Amino acid sequence: MVDAARARKLADRIQQIVAEMLERRIKDPRLGFVTVTDTRITNDLRDATVYYTVYGTEAERADTAAALESAKGVIRAEVGRKTGVRHTPSLTFELDSVMENAAHIDDLLAQARARDAEVARAAQSAQWAGEANPYKEPAAAGEDADEDGHDEEGDVTPGRASS
């Protein structure tokens, strides 16, 4: 097994090399507007997964995936040359669904805001279900107290002595 820090550094370097290759050296017309978002490598440094996003339609995404598959050998050779590792990791390209997930979260947040606004509108015209002050307050001296100093519930009224 390899040190996790070394694996992360190698994954970062592979991400840089792949992004540079896609930007400058790969001239496939099927290749769309691609952004390399992340790279993960196995602990034995044999397999690397490169995550990417493509701006465009489903057809453009499919064309980009085909272009990446056809350029995989050239990209892997360049990764091996620039990293200097003994065994060049095999590359797998995965479409990253970050954009779709972000759009879905935005939709859910918009629905939550709409529901919150609806609740706020309903709360503006709301009234108390009971009295405005639901707490019992002690009766003032002399009010609702019988002659032995107890009020209607049998509690001692302040200021009166019980016998």
Side-chain angles (χ1 to χ4, degrees):
M1 290 293 142
V2 164
D3 182 27
R6 179 171 181 230
R8 186 70 236 161
K9 284 181 185 177
L10 182 60
D12 289 343
R13 183 67 181 133
I14 290 171
Q15 181 176 347
Q16 291 171 350
I17 293 167
V18 170
E20 182 179 300
M21 289 284 295
L22 293 177
E23 183 179 336
R24 296 196 176 107
R25 300 229 0 237
I26 307 297
K27 300 297 181 193
D28 194 331
R30 299 175 294 173
L31 197 62
F33 186 68
V34 179
T35 303
V36 177
T37 57
D38 192 19
T39 301
R40 298 204 180 135
I41 194 162
T42 58
N43 287 338
D44 61 359
L45 305 181
R46 296 289 181 150
D47 299 309
T49 304
V50 179
Y51 294 93
Y52 67 95
T53 60
V54 179
Y55 183 74
T57 64
E58 284 296 322
E60 290 171 333
R61 289 180 186 152
D63 288 345
T64 299
L68 288 173
E69 283 299 315
S70 68
K72 187 186 290 189
V74 174
I75 295 171
R76 183 171 184 241
E78 187 71 11
V79 165
R81 191 176 69 76
K82 288 191 174 180
T83 57
V85 293
R86 177 176 289 174
H87 299 287
T88 304
S90 64
L91 299 177
T92 305
F93 291 98
E94 291 274 334
L95 183 62
D96 198 354
S97 59
V98 168
M99 300 300 285
E100 289 82 16
N101 290 343
H104 180 66
I105 289 172
D106 283 343
D107 291 342
L108 292 175
L109 289 173
Q111 290 174 5
R113 279 189 211 100
R115 289 181 185 148
D116 286 348
E118 185 179 318
V119 168
R121 280 193 304 275
Q124 287 176 347
S125 62
Q127 295 181 359
W128 294 100
E131 298 176 10
N133 185 2
Y135 301 103
K136 289 189 176 184
E137 295 182 10
E143 292 181 13
D144 296 345
D146 57 9
E147 55 276 345
D148 64 353
H150 292 85
D151 61 6
E152 294 170 355
E153 288 85 24
D155 297 332
V156 175
T157 306
R160 301 244 182 166
S162 78
S163 41

PDB file of all heavy atoms in Angstrom, residues 5 116 163:
ATOM      1  N   ALA A   5      -1.040  10.500   1.262  1.00  0.00           N
ATOM      2  CA  ALA A   5      -0.617  11.814   0.778  1.00  0.00           C
ATOM      3  C   ALA A   5       0.018  11.704  -0.608  1.00  0.00           C
ATOM      4  O   ALA A   5      -0.218  12.547  -1.479  1.00  0.00           O
ATOM      5  CB  ALA A   5       0.350  12.455   1.768  1.00  0.00           C
ATOM      6  N   ASP A 116     -42.341  28.541   2.194  1.00  0.00           N
ATOM      7  CA  ASP A 116     -42.138  29.456   3.322  1.00  0.00           C
ATOM      8  C   ASP A 116     -42.899  30.764   3.109  1.00  0.00           C
ATOM      9  O   ASP A 116     -43.485  31.313   4.045  1.00  0.00           O
ATOM     10  CB  ASP A 116     -40.657  29.751   3.523  1.00  0.00           C
ATOM     11  CG  ASP A 116     -39.900  28.586   4.133  1.00  0.00           C
ATOM     12  OD1 ASP A 116     -40.559  27.640   4.617  1.00  0.00           O
ATOM     13  OD2 ASP A 116     -38.653  28.625   4.122  1.00  0.00           O
ATOM     14  N   SER A 163     -56.127  30.351  57.525  1.00  0.00           N
ATOM     15  CA  SER A 163     -56.349  29.976  58.902  1.00  0.00           C
ATOM     16  C   SER A 163     -56.087  28.549  59.205  1.00  0.00           C
ATOM     17  O   SER A 163     -55.790  27.703  58.543  1.00  0.00           O
ATOM     18  CB  SER A 163     -57.798  30.271  59.309  1.00  0.00           C
ATOM     19  OG  SER A 163     -58.686  29.930  58.308  1.00  0.00           O
TER      20      SER A 163
END
